[in-house]
Amino acid sequence: MLDRRTLLAATLLAAAVPGLRGARAAEPGVLRIGYQKNGILVVAKQQGIIERRLEPLGHTVRWVEFSFGPPLLEALSLDGIDVGLTGDSPPIFAQAARSSLVYAAAQEAGGSGAGILLPKGSPVRSLADLKGKRVAFAKASSAHNLTVAALEKAGLRYADIEPVTLAPADAAAAFARGSVDAWTIWDPYLAVAEEGDGVRVLALATAITPQNNFLLASRAFAETRGPVLIAAIDALGEVAAWCRQNRGDVAALLSQGTGVPLPATRRAVDRTDFVIGPMSDRITAEQQAIADRFYALKLIPKPIHVADAVWTAPARNG
């Protein structure tokens, strides 16, 4: 079970953040970036590299923090931010809700630091043992998809478990007090929780299904300020290359920028793939398979075509 110190760290990490309240209406010359307490965007924020790339284009950057993907994409839909990075499921739910978003870039396997946690003393030994159990995860998040994929891998149906849909802070508390039997979650929450006494990882995402992350943008922003979006993506590519070569420094930067203890941050960094690239046909197909899975389970109200939301960058000058 999570000890008191680890629970406090997890709760503070997952606590509600300003999100929509911190977002502002669009302004000329400002790129508003939604980010979470982990990964490449936090490193970029700490280094100021996007700011430097956008300065010649007459743009500054405003950072808006979110606790997880669905609220971030709600802000994107309501014109509270221009771009943001999430896992695989939030854009699917957003597209099904008619959000005007585009996939601007992909972080292939960027969500590999996710898994299913078990509390101390749990009798669960395999994915099949989740049958009849209360499994916590954030609705419409990458953990939602990971839970469904884990059940499929074990030959179980979604109806075979009791889904307990909770935001990360509430899930951490429920897991700590034994109100749920398992918790599907991503880094750094996963890494923080692993510090708890007796907590076990039932399975990591790498053993279940590919977990990609995506840089999403509002369609209006991508269509009207394409060069700014390209410059931001190029900056993230530079950050990713640096991260791959300097993992120790990455852990220090992330810990400093998020307040997550350094040992947990190191654990998360060690299993993160730092890469930013275009949406390939294969990645689009993987995302479409997730969308089809959610529609088959009636978790989204209509089928969607992921390729309709893939952004084609304008040709570069020269």
Side-chain angles (χ1 to χ4, degrees), residues 36-212:
Q36 302 176 52
K37 279 185 176 289
N38 191 35
I40 193 168
L41 280 183
V42 177
V43 178
K45 180 175 182 289
Q46 293 292 95
Q47 292 183 327
I49 189 168
I50 298 178
E51 286 85 346
R52 291 194 294 273
R53 282 293 189 101
L54 296 190
E55 187 175 359
L57 299 177
H59 276 66
T60 59
V61 177
R62 179 173 299 123
W63 296 89
V64 185
E65 185 184 325
F66 294 85
S67 56
F68 64 125
L72 187 155
L73 285 190
E74 182 183 359
L76 189 75
S77 178
L78 296 174
D79 195 31
I81 58 173
D82 302 306
V83 300
L85 191 73
T86 78
D88 50 29
S89 301
I92 289 171
F93 280 82
Q95 189 178 354
R98 302 183 184 276
S99 176
S100 185
L101 61 81
V102 294
Y103 291 83
Q107 185 183 8
E108 186 175 358
S112 297
I116 302 174
L117 284 171
L118 301 171
K120 184 177 182 178
S122 172
V124 173
R125 297 295 169 185
S126 69
L127 293 175
D129 292 338
L130 291 176
K131 186 173 184 178
K133 298 296 189 293
R134 299 159 297 175
V135 182
F137 53 86
K139 182 179 180 180
S141 73
S142 59
H144 200 159
N145 175 52
L146 182 57
T147 300
V148 174
L151 296 174
E152 290 180 357
K153 187 177 181 68
L156 299 177
R157 299 169 302 148
Y158 192 58
D160 286 331
I161 65 163
E162 181 181 339
V164 182
T165 55
L166 297 169
D170 297 325
F175 183 79
R177 65 175 177 263
S179 298
V180 296
D181 302 301
W183 179 22
T184 310
I185 192 60
W186 56 88
D187 277 331
Y189 308 115
L190 174 65
V192 170
E194 284 179 283
E195 299 291 321
D197 177 43
V199 171
R200 285 193 291 118
V201 176
L202 176 61
L204 290 172
T206 49
I208 298 171
T209 188
Q211 290 255 286
N212 302 316

